[in-house]
Amino acid sequence: MRRPSALAVTCVVLAAVSTGLLAGCDGGPPPGSEAAVARQKANDTVNRQLEALPGGKVTATIENSLDGGQNNIKVDAVPPATATTAQLNVMADTIERTIWLSRMDPLGRIGLIVRRQGDTDPVLERLYQDEVDTRPLAVKYGPRPDGLPG
């Protein structure tokens, strides 16, 4: 009687585990579906709102990946070199509020970097990675629209 080789058994087990893990990942709604169109519309809207904010140049990037999560938003804001600390904080608060009150769903990691025009080093950085990090946003700006989770 032959025994299966350890390599063959290992390959079968790894294939089964990989399939199970991938099946449990949320890759978002299927492309072209109503949910995918609604998600893209919400993402485009928040992106336009952020880039239209006064007080400096704001660039937003929204990323999705199986290992990194859905709707992770990175915002780079560059106010004038003469902006005061108070103006930088107002700009950062306005960006946070815009993202928090958007209809992005799910709302992934939020990363915000503010640097004065002409500078390469950030003057202000904020990062919200999970529900614990976003609790202050809920306190500061209220609940998300339509009962969306934070």
Side-chain angles (χ1 to χ4, degrees):
M1 183 164 134
R2 274 185 75 173
R3 289 187 186 175
S5 72
L7 181 58
V9 170
T10 302
C11 288
V12 169
V13 170
L14 286 175
V17 169
S18 297
T19 302
L21 288 174
L22 288 175
C25 292
D26 176 19
S33 68
E34 275 188 52
V37 170
R39 178 184 279 191
Q40 189 60 51
K41 182 178 176 184
N43 291 0
D44 291 345
T45 298
V46 75
N47 209 344
R48 273 193 312 275
Q49 290 172 334
L50 290 170
E51 291 178 356
L53 290 175
K57 180 173 174 41
V58 177
T59 306
T61 306
I62 301 170
E63 297 177 345
N64 299 295
S65 69
L66 286 176
D67 60 342
Q70 301 295 305
N71 290 338
N72 295 317
I73 187 163
K74 177 184 173 196
V75 181
D76 290 305
V78 183
T82 57
T84 66
T85 301
Q87 289 170 322
L88 297 174
N89 282 311
V90 167
M91 180 179 230
D93 290 348
T94 303
I95 291 168
E96 285 177 353
R97 183 179 185 280
T98 301
I99 294 167
W100 183 253
L101 296 178
S102 74
R103 288 192 161 64
M104 286 180 62
D105 182 36
L107 183 57
R109 186 174 53 250
I110 302 168
L112 170 60
I113 296 174
V114 180
R115 66 185 98 239
R116 286 188 176 95
Q117 188 175 20
D119 287 347
T120 56
D121 294 329
V123 177
L124 186 138
E125 294 180 83
R126 297 181 184 174
L127 178 63
Y128 304 95
Q129 298 191 80
D130 55 30
E131 289 181 32
V132 173
D133 287 346
T134 58
R135 281 187 197 138
L137 297 178
V139 170
K140 195 172 187 178
Y141 306 117
R144 295 203 60 224
D146 303 328
L148 293 172

